Amino acid sequence: MIIKSPKQEKTYREAGRISSDILRELGNSIKVGITPLKIEELANDLCNEYGVKPSFKTVADYDYATCISVNDCILHGIPNDIPFKEGDLVKIDFGIIYKGFFTDHCWTWGVGNISKEDRKLMEVGREAVENGCSVAVTGNHTGDISNQFRSTAKKHGYTTLSDFAGHGIGKSLHGSPDIYSFGDPGTGDRLKDGMVICIECQVTKHDAIYIADNDWDVMSSYGEKGSMYEYLGIVRDKEFVKLTDSF
């Protein structure tokens, strides 16, 4: 959607703040022995407490407030009852509906002490998305963002998953434009002032995945860990205005 009034922007900022508060609590709950299903339960409880609805439950055939993807499950992980272990990488993707506005954002956390290699994977994943945000300004193109994702990952010996994309958002969870994890500068859709988008990518060693038997979990074909970060924000003339927080 395109933000067309200060009132709309104020409401969307409120949505981003509430969504960030909830995701922060979910991240803080991660520890050895806790299960994804416990975090899913907490997410639903917090949505009720804040008086909001989970946006992911509007997706056809998806009955959860969160996607919780651990290690070589790169994204779209269905919450399960497998306890977290020391050294796991946990991606929590989450969103709400607040006064008709949808949110969607994601962060990666390490459980306890993580390896130097996994710390680098997290750092590169965040750097890729932050670099994408830096060029999400009026007049640029979606390809400018996409190019930042892939080029940042490649610089550090990683890549991005080609099959998944960032997207527009607003009165529904997904809309135009699509923002792929690879592309050339100056290509794709032109970014417009006030455009609300989700900037995300997944970083791993190889761009090779398969879908698990539950039809949701996106798994690395090589059993490799991945990181994922996503911001919700507004395209403006001089900067990308983030509506969701860093953690």
Side-chain angles (χ1 to χ4, degrees), residues 74-75 124-125 128-129 131-132 141-155 158-167 177-185 187-188 198-204 206-209 227-229:
I74 311 299
L75 73 159
V124 173
V129 170
N131 288 347
H141 293 76
T142 54
D144 296 306
I145 302 172
S146 304
N147 183 260
Q148 287 293 323
F149 293 157
R150 180 65 62 86
S151 62
T152 301
K154 289 286 190 182
K155 179 176 68 176
Y158 297 92
T159 191
T160 54
L161 293 190
S162 299
D163 290 346
F164 303 95
H167 51 90
D178 292 324
I179 307 170
Y180 299 103
S181 70
F182 62 98
D184 296 320
T187 64
C198 291
I199 295 182
E200 65 173 287
C201 72
Q202 305 80 33
V203 170
T204 188
H206 295 91
D207 184 14
I209 53 100
S227 65
M228 178 177 170
Y229 296 85

Short mmCIF file of all heavy atoms in Angstrom, two decimals, residues 74-75 124-125 128-129 131-132 141-155 158-167 177-185 187-188 198-204 206-209 227-229:
data_model
loop_
_atom_site.label_atom_id
_atom_site.label_comp_id
_atom_site.label_asym_id
_atom_site.label_seq_id
_atom_site.Cartn_x
_atom_site.Cartn_y
_atom_site.Cartn_z
N ILE A 74 15.24 -23.24 6.96
CA ILE A 74 15.64 -21.86 6.68
C ILE A 74 14.49 -20.89 6.91
O ILE A 74 14.68 -19.78 7.41
CB ILE A 74 16.16 -21.72 5.24
CG1 ILE A 74 17.22 -22.81 4.92
CG2 ILE A 74 16.76 -20.34 5.02
CD1 ILE A 74 18.44 -22.76 5.81
N LEU A 75 13.27 -21.28 6.53
CA LEU A 75 12.11 -20.42 6.76
C LEU A 75 10.84 -21.24 6.69
O LEU A 75 10.86 -22.42 6.34
CB LEU A 75 12.05 -19.26 5.77
CG LEU A 75 11.66 -19.53 4.31
CD1 LEU A 75 11.16 -18.25 3.65
CD2 LEU A 75 12.84 -20.09 3.52
N VAL A 124 26.24 -11.68 8.67
CA VAL A 124 26.12 -11.45 7.23
C VAL A 124 24.65 -11.33 6.83
O VAL A 124 24.28 -10.49 6.00
CB VAL A 124 26.82 -12.56 6.44
CG1 VAL A 124 26.56 -12.41 4.93
CG2 VAL A 124 28.32 -12.54 6.71
N GLY A 125 23.79 -12.16 7.41
CA GLY A 125 22.37 -12.07 7.11
C GLY A 125 21.80 -10.72 7.46
O GLY A 125 21.05 -10.12 6.68
N ALA A 128 23.21 -7.99 5.05
CA ALA A 128 22.57 -8.03 3.74
C ALA A 128 21.25 -7.26 3.75
O ALA A 128 20.95 -6.47 2.84
CB ALA A 128 22.35 -9.47 3.30
N VAL A 129 20.45 -7.48 4.78
CA VAL A 129 19.15 -6.81 4.85
C VAL A 129 19.31 -5.32 5.16
O VAL A 129 18.61 -4.48 4.59
CB VAL A 129 18.25 -7.52 5.89
CG1 VAL A 129 17.00 -6.70 6.17
CG2 VAL A 129 17.86 -8.89 5.37
N ASN A 131 21.80 -3.48 4.30
CA ASN A 131 22.25 -2.86 3.05
C ASN A 131 21.10 -2.69 2.07
O ASN A 131 21.03 -1.70 1.33
CB ASN A 131 23.38 -3.67 2.43
CG ASN A 131 24.69 -3.54 3.19
OD1 ASN A 131 24.83 -2.68 4.05
ND2 ASN A 131 25.64 -4.42 2.90
N GLY A 132 20.19 -3.67 2.06
CA GLY A 132 19.00 -3.52 1.21
C GLY A 132 18.15 -2.35 1.65
O GLY A 132 17.67 -1.57 0.82
N HIS A 141 14.84 1.25 -7.46
CA HIS A 141 14.06 0.12 -7.92
C HIS A 141 14.23 -1.07 -6.98
O HIS A 141 15.19 -1.14 -6.21
CB HIS A 141 14.49 -0.30 -9.34
CG HIS A 141 14.17 0.71 -10.38
ND1 HIS A 141 14.90 1.88 -10.55
CD2 HIS A 141 13.19 0.74 -11.34
CE1 HIS A 141 14.39 2.57 -11.55
NE2 HIS A 141 13.36 1.91 -12.04
N THR A 142 13.28 -2.00 -7.09
CA THR A 142 13.39 -3.20 -6.26
C THR A 142 14.70 -3.95 -6.54
O THR A 142 15.29 -4.55 -5.64
CB THR A 142 12.20 -4.15 -6.51
OG1 THR A 142 12.09 -4.43 -7.90
CG2 THR A 142 10.91 -3.52 -6.00
N GLY A 143 15.18 -3.88 -7.78
CA GLY A 143 16.44 -4.54 -8.11
C GLY A 143 17.63 -3.97 -7.37
O GLY A 143 18.63 -4.67 -7.15
N ASP A 144 17.56 -2.70 -6.98
CA ASP A 144 18.63 -2.11 -6.18
C ASP A 144 18.72 -2.79 -4.82
O ASP A 144 19.81 -3.07 -4.31
CB ASP A 144 18.40 -0.61 -6.00
CG ASP A 144 18.44 0.15 -7.30
OD1 ASP A 144 19.44 0.03 -8.03
OD2 ASP A 144 17.46 0.86 -7.62
N ILE A 145 17.56 -3.05 -4.22
CA ILE A 145 17.51 -3.77 -2.94
C ILE A 145 18.01 -5.20 -3.12
O ILE A 145 18.87 -5.68 -2.38
CB ILE A 145 16.08 -3.77 -2.38
CG1 ILE A 145 15.56 -2.35 -2.20
CG2 ILE A 145 16.03 -4.54 -1.07
CD1 ILE A 145 14.08 -2.26 -1.83
N SER A 146 17.48 -5.86 -4.14
CA SER A 146 17.84 -7.26 -4.41
C SER A 146 19.33 -7.43 -4.62
O SER A 146 19.95 -8.38 -4.13
CB SER A 146 17.09 -7.75 -5.65
OG SER A 146 15.70 -7.60 -5.51
N ASN A 147 19.93 -6.51 -5.36
CA ASN A 147 21.36 -6.59 -5.63
C ASN A 147 22.17 -6.47 -4.35
O ASN A 147 23.21 -7.14 -4.21
CB ASN A 147 21.75 -5.49 -6.62
CG ASN A 147 23.21 -5.56 -7.01
OD1 ASN A 147 24.03 -4.80 -6.47
ND2 ASN A 147 23.54 -6.45 -7.93
N GLN A 148 21.72 -5.66 -3.42
CA GLN A 148 22.43 -5.52 -2.15
C GLN A 148 22.40 -6.83 -1.37
O GLN A 148 23.41 -7.23 -0.75
CB GLN A 148 21.81 -4.40 -1.31
CG GLN A 148 22.11 -3.01 -1.82
CD GLN A 148 23.57 -2.64 -1.68
OE1 GLN A 148 24.24 -3.00 -0.71
NE2 GLN A 148 24.10 -1.94 -2.67
N PHE A 149 21.28 -7.52 -1.40
CA PHE A 149 21.18 -8.81 -0.70
C PHE A 149 22.25 -9.78 -1.19
O PHE A 149 23.09 -10.27 -0.42
CB PHE A 149 19.81 -9.46 -0.95
CG PHE A 149 18.63 -8.75 -0.36
CD1 PHE A 149 17.37 -8.95 -0.90
CD2 PHE A 149 18.75 -7.91 0.73
CE1 PHE A 149 16.25 -8.34 -0.37
CE2 PHE A 149 17.63 -7.28 1.27
CZ PHE A 149 16.38 -7.50 0.71
N ARG A 150 22.18 -10.08 -2.48
CA ARG A 150 23.04 -11.13 -3.04
C ARG A 150 24.51 -10.72 -3.02
O ARG A 150 25.39 -11.53 -2.67
CB ARG A 150 22.58 -11.48 -4.45
CG ARG A 150 23.35 -12.54 -5.20
CD ARG A 150 23.27 -13.94 -4.58
NE ARG A 150 21.96 -14.52 -4.52
CZ ARG A 150 21.37 -15.22 -5.50
NH1 ARG A 150 22.00 -15.38 -6.67
NH2 ARG A 150 20.19 -15.76 -5.33
N SER A 151 24.80 -9.47 -3.36
CA SER A 151 26.21 -9.04 -3.42
C SER A 151 26.84 -9.03 -2.03
O SER A 151 28.01 -9.39 -1.87
CB SER A 151 26.33 -7.67 -4.08
OG SER A 151 25.66 -6.67 -3.34
N THR A 152 26.07 -8.65 -1.01
CA THR A 152 26.59 -8.68 0.35
C THR A 152 26.88 -10.10 0.79
O THR A 152 27.94 -10.39 1.36
CB THR A 152 25.59 -8.03 1.33
OG1 THR A 152 25.35 -6.68 0.94
CG2 THR A 152 26.13 -8.06 2.75
N ALA A 153 25.96 -11.00 0.53
CA ALA A 153 26.16 -12.40 0.91
C ALA A 153 27.37 -12.99 0.18
O ALA A 153 28.21 -13.66 0.79
CB ALA A 153 24.90 -13.21 0.59
N LYS A 154 27.47 -12.74 -1.12
CA LYS A 154 28.58 -13.28 -1.91
C LYS A 154 29.93 -12.78 -1.42
O LYS A 154 30.92 -13.51 -1.42
CB LYS A 154 28.38 -12.92 -3.39
CG LYS A 154 27.25 -13.65 -4.09
CD LYS A 154 27.62 -15.10 -4.36
CE LYS A 154 26.59 -15.77 -5.26
NZ LYS A 154 26.91 -17.21 -5.49
N LYS A 155 29.97 -11.54 -1.01
CA LYS A 155 31.22 -10.93 -0.54
C LYS A 155 31.80 -11.71 0.64
O LYS A 155 33.01 -11.78 0.83
CB LYS A 155 30.96 -9.48 -0.13
CG LYS A 155 32.16 -8.73 0.40
CD LYS A 155 31.83 -7.27 0.68
CE LYS A 155 30.86 -7.16 1.84
NZ LYS A 155 30.59 -5.75 2.21
N TYR A 158 28.75 -16.43 1.07
CA TYR A 158 27.42 -17.02 1.21
C TYR A 158 26.58 -16.67 -0.02
O TYR A 158 27.06 -16.05 -0.97
CB TYR A 158 26.71 -16.48 2.46
CG TYR A 158 27.38 -16.82 3.76
CD1 TYR A 158 28.31 -15.95 4.33
CD2 TYR A 158 27.09 -18.01 4.42
CE1 TYR A 158 28.93 -16.26 5.54
CE2 TYR A 158 27.70 -18.33 5.63
CZ TYR A 158 28.62 -17.45 6.18
OH TYR A 158 29.23 -17.76 7.36
N THR A 159 25.32 -17.08 0.01
CA THR A 159 24.38 -16.68 -1.03
C THR A 159 23.02 -16.45 -0.40
O THR A 159 22.86 -16.56 0.83
CB THR A 159 24.30 -17.73 -2.16
OG1 THR A 159 23.56 -17.18 -3.26
CG2 THR A 159 23.64 -19.02 -1.68
N THR A 160 22.05 -16.10 -1.22
CA THR A 160 20.68 -15.90 -0.75
C THR A 160 19.76 -16.88 -1.46
O THR A 160 20.04 -17.33 -2.57
CB THR A 160 20.22 -14.46 -1.04
OG1 THR A 160 20.41 -14.17 -2.42
CG2 THR A 160 21.01 -13.47 -0.19
N LEU A 161 18.65 -17.21 -0.81
CA LEU A 161 17.69 -18.13 -1.43
C LEU A 161 16.90 -17.42 -2.52
O LEU A 161 16.26 -16.40 -2.27
CB LEU A 161 16.73 -18.70 -0.39
CG LEU A 161 17.31 -19.63 0.67
CD1 LEU A 161 16.17 -20.29 1.47
CD2 LEU A 161 18.20 -20.71 0.06
N SER A 162 16.93 -17.98 -3.71
CA SER A 162 16.31 -17.34 -4.87
C SER A 162 14.79 -17.50 -4.93
O SER A 162 14.11 -16.73 -5.60
CB SER A 162 16.90 -17.93 -6.16
OG SER A 162 18.28 -17.70 -6.24
N ASP A 163 14.26 -18.50 -4.21
CA ASP A 163 12.85 -18.84 -4.37
C ASP A 163 11.90 -18.00 -3.52
O ASP A 163 10.68 -18.17 -3.62
CB ASP A 163 12.63 -20.31 -4.03
CG ASP A 163 13.24 -21.25 -5.06
OD1 ASP A 163 13.60 -20.77 -6.14
OD2 ASP A 163 13.35 -22.46 -4.77
N PHE A 164 12.45 -17.10 -2.70
CA PHE A 164 11.59 -16.35 -1.78
C PHE A 164 11.90 -14.87 -1.88
O PHE A 164 13.00 -14.48 -2.24
CB PHE A 164 11.77 -16.87 -0.35
CG PHE A 164 11.49 -18.34 -0.26
CD1 PHE A 164 12.52 -19.25 -0.35
CD2 PHE A 164 10.19 -18.79 -0.13
CE1 PHE A 164 12.26 -20.62 -0.30
CE2 PHE A 164 9.91 -20.15 -0.09
CZ PHE A 164 10.95 -21.07 -0.17
N ALA A 165 10.91 -14.05 -1.55
CA ALA A 165 11.03 -12.62 -1.82
C ALA A 165 10.39 -11.78 -0.73
O ALA A 165 9.45 -12.22 -0.05
CB ALA A 165 10.38 -12.29 -3.16
N GLY A 166 10.91 -10.57 -0.57
CA GLY A 166 10.21 -9.56 0.19
C GLY A 166 9.00 -9.09 -0.60
O GLY A 166 8.80 -9.49 -1.75
N HIS A 167 8.22 -8.17 -0.03
CA HIS A 167 6.92 -7.88 -0.66
C HIS A 167 6.32 -6.60 -0.11
O HIS A 167 6.68 -6.11 0.96
CB HIS A 167 5.96 -9.04 -0.39
CG HIS A 167 5.88 -9.42 1.07
ND1 HIS A 167 4.98 -8.86 1.93
CD2 HIS A 167 6.64 -10.28 1.81
CE1 HIS A 167 5.15 -9.37 3.15
NE2 HIS A 167 6.16 -10.24 3.11
N PRO A 177 5.18 -4.45 -4.38
CA PRO A 177 5.99 -5.19 -5.36
C PRO A 177 6.66 -6.41 -4.72
O PRO A 177 6.78 -6.49 -3.49
CB PRO A 177 7.05 -4.15 -5.75
CG PRO A 177 7.30 -3.42 -4.45
CD PRO A 177 5.95 -3.33 -3.78
N ASP A 178 7.10 -7.35 -5.55
CA ASP A 178 7.97 -8.43 -5.09
C ASP A 178 9.40 -7.90 -5.04
O ASP A 178 9.84 -7.19 -5.94
CB ASP A 178 7.89 -9.63 -6.03
CG ASP A 178 6.53 -10.31 -5.98
OD1 ASP A 178 5.95 -10.38 -4.88
OD2 ASP A 178 6.07 -10.78 -7.04
N ILE A 179 10.12 -8.29 -4.00
CA ILE A 179 11.52 -7.86 -3.85
C ILE A 179 12.37 -9.11 -3.72
O ILE A 179 12.49 -9.70 -2.64
CB ILE A 179 11.69 -6.94 -2.62
CG1 ILE A 179 10.69 -5.78 -2.66
CG2 ILE A 179 13.11 -6.41 -2.55
CD1 ILE A 179 10.61 -4.98 -1.38
N TYR A 180 12.95 -9.54 -4.84
CA TYR A 180 13.69 -10.79 -4.87
C TYR A 180 15.03 -10.68 -4.15
O TYR A 180 15.51 -9.58 -3.85
CB TYR A 180 13.87 -11.24 -6.32
CG TYR A 180 12.56 -11.47 -7.03
CD1 TYR A 180 12.05 -10.54 -7.94
CD2 TYR A 180 11.80 -12.60 -6.74
CE1 TYR A 180 10.83 -10.74 -8.56
CE2 TYR A 180 10.57 -12.81 -7.36
CZ TYR A 180 10.09 -11.88 -8.26
OH TYR A 180 8.87 -12.09 -8.86
N SER A 181 15.63 -11.82 -3.90
CA SER A 181 16.91 -11.84 -3.17
C SER A 181 18.11 -11.73 -4.10
O SER A 181 19.25 -11.85 -3.66
CB SER A 181 17.02 -13.12 -2.34
OG SER A 181 17.19 -14.25 -3.19
N PHE A 182 17.86 -11.49 -5.36
CA PHE A 182 18.92 -11.31 -6.35
C PHE A 182 18.39 -10.39 -7.44
O PHE A 182 17.17 -10.33 -7.66
CB PHE A 182 19.33 -12.65 -6.97
CG PHE A 182 18.21 -13.31 -7.72
CD1 PHE A 182 18.11 -13.18 -9.11
CD2 PHE A 182 17.23 -14.04 -7.06
CE1 PHE A 182 17.07 -13.77 -9.81
CE2 PHE A 182 16.18 -14.63 -7.76
CZ PHE A 182 16.10 -14.50 -9.13
N GLY A 183 19.27 -9.68 -8.11
CA GLY A 183 18.81 -8.80 -9.18
C GLY A 183 19.85 -7.75 -9.51
O GLY A 183 20.88 -7.64 -8.85
N ASP A 184 19.56 -6.99 -10.53
CA ASP A 184 20.47 -5.95 -11.00
C ASP A 184 19.95 -4.58 -10.62
O ASP A 184 18.74 -4.32 -10.67
CB ASP A 184 20.62 -6.03 -12.52
CG ASP A 184 21.26 -7.33 -12.97
OD1 ASP A 184 22.20 -7.78 -12.29
OD2 ASP A 184 20.81 -7.89 -13.99
N PRO A 185 20.86 -3.67 -10.28
CA PRO A 185 20.44 -2.29 -9.97
C PRO A 185 19.66 -1.68 -11.13
O PRO A 185 19.96 -1.94 -12.30
CB PRO A 185 21.77 -1.56 -9.75
CG PRO A 185 22.74 -2.63 -9.37
CD PRO A 185 22.32 -3.85 -10.14
N THR A 187 16.64 -2.29 -12.05
CA THR A 187 15.61 -3.16 -12.62
C THR A 187 14.47 -3.36 -11.62
O THR A 187 14.58 -3.02 -10.45
CB THR A 187 16.20 -4.53 -13.00
OG1 THR A 187 16.65 -5.20 -11.81
CG2 THR A 187 17.36 -4.38 -13.97
N GLY A 188 13.39 -3.92 -12.11
CA GLY A 188 12.24 -4.17 -11.25
C GLY A 188 11.34 -2.96 -11.11
O GLY A 188 11.43 -2.00 -11.88
N CYS A 198 8.10 -4.99 2.97
CA CYS A 198 8.88 -5.85 3.86
C CYS A 198 10.18 -6.21 3.14
O CYS A 198 10.15 -6.79 2.05
CB CYS A 198 8.11 -7.12 4.19
SG CYS A 198 6.67 -6.81 5.26
N ILE A 199 11.30 -5.86 3.76
CA ILE A 199 12.62 -6.12 3.18
C ILE A 199 13.22 -7.30 3.91
O ILE A 199 13.48 -7.23 5.12
CB ILE A 199 13.51 -4.87 3.28
CG1 ILE A 199 12.92 -3.75 2.42
CG2 ILE A 199 14.94 -5.18 2.86
CD1 ILE A 199 13.75 -2.47 2.40
N GLU A 200 13.43 -8.40 3.20
CA GLU A 200 13.89 -9.64 3.82
C GLU A 200 14.73 -10.46 2.85
O GLU A 200 14.58 -10.36 1.63
CB GLU A 200 12.68 -10.48 4.22
CG GLU A 200 11.86 -10.97 3.03
CD GLU A 200 10.77 -11.94 3.41
OE1 GLU A 200 11.09 -13.11 3.73
OE2 GLU A 200 9.59 -11.54 3.38
N CYS A 201 15.61 -11.26 3.42
CA CYS A 201 16.26 -12.32 2.64
C CYS A 201 16.78 -13.38 3.59
O CYS A 201 16.90 -13.17 4.80
CB CYS A 201 17.38 -11.78 1.74
SG CYS A 201 18.88 -11.26 2.60
N GLN A 202 17.06 -14.53 3.02
CA GLN A 202 17.62 -15.65 3.76
C GLN A 202 19.03 -15.90 3.25
O GLN A 202 19.25 -15.97 2.04
CB GLN A 202 16.77 -16.92 3.58
CG GLN A 202 15.30 -16.76 3.94
CD GLN A 202 14.50 -16.08 2.84
OE1 GLN A 202 14.79 -16.26 1.66
NE2 GLN A 202 13.49 -15.32 3.21
N VAL A 203 19.97 -16.03 4.17
CA VAL A 203 21.38 -16.21 3.80
C VAL A 203 21.85 -17.59 4.27
O VAL A 203 21.61 -17.99 5.41
CB VAL A 203 22.26 -15.11 4.43
CG1 VAL A 203 23.74 -15.42 4.25
CG2 VAL A 203 21.94 -13.76 3.78
N THR A 204 22.50 -18.31 3.36
CA THR A 204 23.05 -19.63 3.66
C THR A 204 24.20 -19.90 2.70
O THR A 204 24.56 -19.05 1.89
CB THR A 204 21.94 -20.71 3.55
OG1 THR A 204 22.45 -21.96 4.02
CG2 THR A 204 21.43 -20.84 2.14
N HIS A 206 24.51 -22.45 0.36
CA HIS A 206 24.11 -22.88 -0.98
C HIS A 206 22.63 -22.58 -1.21
O HIS A 206 21.80 -22.76 -0.32
CB HIS A 206 24.36 -24.38 -1.17
CG HIS A 206 25.80 -24.78 -1.13
ND1 HIS A 206 26.44 -25.15 0.03
CD2 HIS A 206 26.73 -24.84 -2.12
CE1 HIS A 206 27.70 -25.44 -0.24
NE2 HIS A 206 27.90 -25.26 -1.53
N ASP A 207 22.32 -22.17 -2.42
CA ASP A 207 20.95 -21.87 -2.82
C ASP A 207 20.28 -23.14 -3.32
O ASP A 207 19.96 -23.30 -4.50
CB ASP A 207 20.97 -20.79 -3.91
CG ASP A 207 19.58 -20.35 -4.32
OD1 ASP A 207 18.62 -20.67 -3.60
OD2 ASP A 207 19.45 -19.68 -5.37
N ALA A 208 20.07 -24.07 -2.37
CA ALA A 208 19.48 -25.36 -2.71
C ALA A 208 18.58 -25.79 -1.55
O ALA A 208 19.06 -25.94 -0.42
CB ALA A 208 20.56 -26.41 -2.96
N ILE A 209 17.31 -25.96 -1.82
CA ILE A 209 16.34 -26.27 -0.76
C ILE A 209 15.36 -27.34 -1.20
O ILE A 209 15.25 -27.67 -2.38
CB ILE A 209 15.58 -25.00 -0.33
CG1 ILE A 209 14.94 -24.29 -1.55
CG2 ILE A 209 16.50 -24.02 0.40
CD1 ILE A 209 13.50 -24.54 -1.76
N SER A 227 20.31 -17.97 8.07
CA SER A 227 19.80 -16.86 8.87
C SER A 227 18.78 -16.10 8.05
O SER A 227 18.79 -16.13 6.82
CB SER A 227 20.94 -15.94 9.32
OG SER A 227 21.56 -15.30 8.21
N MET A 228 17.89 -15.40 8.76
CA MET A 228 16.86 -14.62 8.09
C MET A 228 16.54 -13.39 8.92
O MET A 228 16.36 -13.48 10.14
CB MET A 228 15.59 -15.45 7.87
CG MET A 228 14.45 -14.67 7.22
SD MET A 228 13.00 -15.71 6.90
CE MET A 228 11.79 -14.48 6.43
N TYR A 229 16.47 -12.25 8.25
CA TYR A 229 16.09 -10.99 8.88
C TYR A 229 15.09 -10.29 7.98
O TYR A 229 15.16 -10.41 6.75
CB TYR A 229 17.31 -10.10 9.12
CG TYR A 229 18.30 -10.70 10.09
CD1 TYR A 229 19.27 -11.60 9.66
CD2 TYR A 229 18.23 -10.39 11.45
CE1 TYR A 229 20.15 -12.18 10.55
CE2 TYR A 229 19.12 -10.96 12.35
CZ TYR A 229 20.08 -11.86 11.90
OH TYR A 229 20.96 -12.44 12.77
#
